[in-house]
Structure formats: C-alpha cells, structure tokens
Amino acid sequence: MLRLPPFRYYEPSSIREALLIKREAGDDGMYVAGGTDLYPNMKRLHQTPKTVVSLLKVPGMHEVKTGKTGAIRLGSGLTLTEVSQHKDVVSGHPAVARAARLVSTPLLRNMGTIGGNLCLDTRCNYYNQSFEWRKSIDFCMKKDGAICWVAPSSPRCWAVQSSDVAPVMVAIGAEYVLVGPNGDRTVPAESFYHDDGIEYLTRERDEILTAVKLPKPNGWDATYLKLRRRGSFDFPVLGVAAKITWDGDKVTAARIVLGGVASYTQRVPEAEAAVVGSTLDDESISQAANAAFKPSKPMDNTDFGLAWRKEMTRVYVSRALSELRNRRRS
C-alpha cells in the first residue's frame, strides 16, 4: 500500500491567510483543494510538500454567480459534480457541464474541483508510476531524472495535458481570476497553459486560481468530445472542444481546441479558418478535420497507439462539428 509522506496540513479561512502560509513555506508548500490529483502524486513521491495548504474553507470559492447578462462566475472550489449539475451551467454552458461530467468517476467528481482540473498535473506513462518503478529507469526529466524517455534526445519534457475542462474553457474564451502576493489579475484561459510538460502553467509563484468567468452565450454553441479506453475513470487520450459562432446559417467565427495530444490545450487556427464563412457543410467539416489532423502530434506516452490516436483527431473533430451543425438545424 502506498502511503502519504508526512506533512503539515493547514486550513486557512481566507485567501490572505492561505497566501501567507504558502509564502512562509516557500518551495516546500503546495495548495490543495479536492486532493484527487495531489494526494496520489504525493504517495508516488511526484510531489513532496512539507506543508499542504487546503483551500476548502476559503469563502467565495464555492459559489456560482450568474450575472444579468448571462455571464457566469464559478468559484474554483466547486466540485466537478456541482458544476456539471448546476442549472445555470447546464442551460447556458452545456459543453462545460458535459466536460465536468466526463471527468473520472462519480466518487472523484464529488471530491475533485473545477480549479483542480484546470490546473491538473501533466501525465506520462514514464512519470505516473511508483517511486520504485521510476527509480528502476533512473527516473525521468519531469521528476528526479535528466532524460525524457518519450523523446530521449529532446531538451524538454513531453508529458501530456489531460484536463477535460480546460479545452472547453479555451474554446469558449473563459477567463481565470488569479490572486497572488502581487494582487489580483484576470487572464484568458488560452494564455494560462504553456507547451511544456514541466512548466505547464503560466501561473505566477504562490498564485491561487480563485474563479472562472464564463462569457455570455451570444450567438454561439460549443461541445466537447472525449476519447478514452473505458467509459469512465480514464483520462482523455484525446479531447476535442469546438465552438461555432453563427449568423443565420453562416459560421462567422470558430474555435477548435485539442486536449490530450500535447503538453497544453492546443488551438488549431487552420481548422478554424476552414469552417469560417461556410454553412458547416460536409466539405468544410472535412477540411477542418484534415487541418486538425496535421498539427496533432500525440506522443507514445499514454494509452493506445500514437498513430491511431492521431487518426482519431480527424474523426473526433468531424464528429464535434457535425454535432454543432445538427443542433443548429434541429
């Protein structure tokens, strides 16, 4: 049985208190919300904080606020179950609700938070193993080693971004509210993620993701599709989020975002351009799917074969766009 290493646990009652504890702990401190990612990682010694700062009792991080315009503010401490079932999210942002509902199992969705899923650690077959297993290969670049075993000659880590909700947030143009020692700031979801398996977030030192701002649905529709081996529990080996803005039967803007095939949520501008100005007919959907296929470069570090996963990019982009077209016509 894997056991947690010893650590000090704090439950601050305010953001200010949480920031103070984390600052005093320095590099030996980490924040935790639901703990569904951090605690298993601690058991495998991926992270070994001596101080764990819980955000569960911080007020304001467990609320849903719906503005008069239809914009929604989600506290980052809301569980994935709460997000997936909230009436305003289900009616106004069904793609967000679907993505939250597709994360893992009911038990973990009842514990895991929306903020935790958006900040999820990147994953890799060579990294997400026990300490003894990793030691037997002399570890890997992401933790304790010097070589990325997926691409041994690479100077960077290729661990994969595996959040379900993040691609949707990038697609719909959500914004994240961050609070840190230097004050508050709001950043677009797209700029929060970085294409590096180790430095995968652009969050500044000690910052806390406190809320997510979902924009008002205004002439657009979005969806999310997930590929995994089993119908529950598994992380995505491919996620496709698509957003289409309509003017009558014409597409005026589009966002197509891939998850699970890179170290960040990957937008595909070439695929987006293929459908803008069209009626989202079969030809434009095919062109978009082919355009998404080209930059999709899954590595051999998750489930299934990488060539098949790459081919599934074409299939899932086509399915996502077809779903949005059919909803428009119904």
Side-chain angles (χ1 to χ4, degrees), residues 101-285:
R101 189 170 60 251
L102 288 174
V103 176
S104 194
T105 62
L107 177 63
L108 292 179
R109 289 195 296 272
N110 289 342
M111 298 174 60
T113 64
I114 185 71
N117 191 259
L118 294 175
C119 296
L120 189 68
D121 192 14
T122 52
R123 299 182 60 79
C124 176
N125 286 342
Y126 294 95
Y127 170 70
N128 295 101
Q129 304 288 346
S130 68
F131 177 83
E132 289 75 16
W133 190 100
R134 292 184 292 114
K135 183 178 180 181
S136 72
I137 63 168
D138 197 24
F139 302 102
C140 72
M141 183 183 293
K142 185 167 168 64
K143 176 62 176 174
D144 298 324
I147 297 174
C148 176
W149 292 108
V150 181
S153 63
S154 174
R156 55 155 288 187
C157 168
W158 290 91
V160 177
Q161 185 274 342
S162 299
S163 167
D164 282 300
V165 187
V168 179
M169 295 300 183
V170 173
I172 67 175
E175 295 180 323
Y176 298 166
V177 180
L178 300 165
V179 179
N182 298 320
D184 304 0
R185 66 187 182 111
T186 300
V187 300
E190 184 176 1
S191 64
F192 189 66
Y193 300 102
H194 185 60
D195 189 18
D196 185 278
I198 297 174
E199 301 295 335
Y200 54 93
L201 300 178
T202 60
R203 183 173 54 182
E204 295 178 359
R205 180 183 174 90
D206 294 347
E207 276 191 325
I208 300 171
L209 171 60
T210 60
V212 180
K213 294 180 178 180
L214 307 182
K216 173 187 175 182
N218 186 19
W220 55 263
D221 193 8
T223 191
Y224 175 72
L225 299 182
K226 175 178 182 174
L227 173 63
R228 54 183 166 179
R229 183 176 292 274
R230 295 173 290 184
S232 64
F233 192 82
D234 289 341
F235 287 92
V237 294
L238 170 67
V240 173
K243 169 191 168 184
I244 295 295
T245 303
W246 297 95
D247 183 4
D249 293 330
K250 292 280 188 178
V251 177
T252 58
R255 281 198 176 190
I256 297 173
V257 183
L258 307 180
V261 294
S263 298
Y264 71 132
T265 48
Q266 183 179 4
R267 274 189 69 185
V268 191
E270 298 84 359
E272 297 168 357
V275 298
V276 172
S278 75
T279 59
L280 212 56
D281 55 6
D282 289 344
E283 182 179 356
S284 62
I285 289 176

Side-chain angles (χ1 to χ4, degrees), residues 8 28 58 64 109 161 206 220 296 299-300 302 319:
R8 293 180 179 177
D28 288 330
V58 175
V64 179
R109 289 195 296 272
Q161 185 274 342
D206 294 347
W220 55 263
S296 175
M299 305 293 286
D300 191 18
T302 61
R319 288 179 182 176

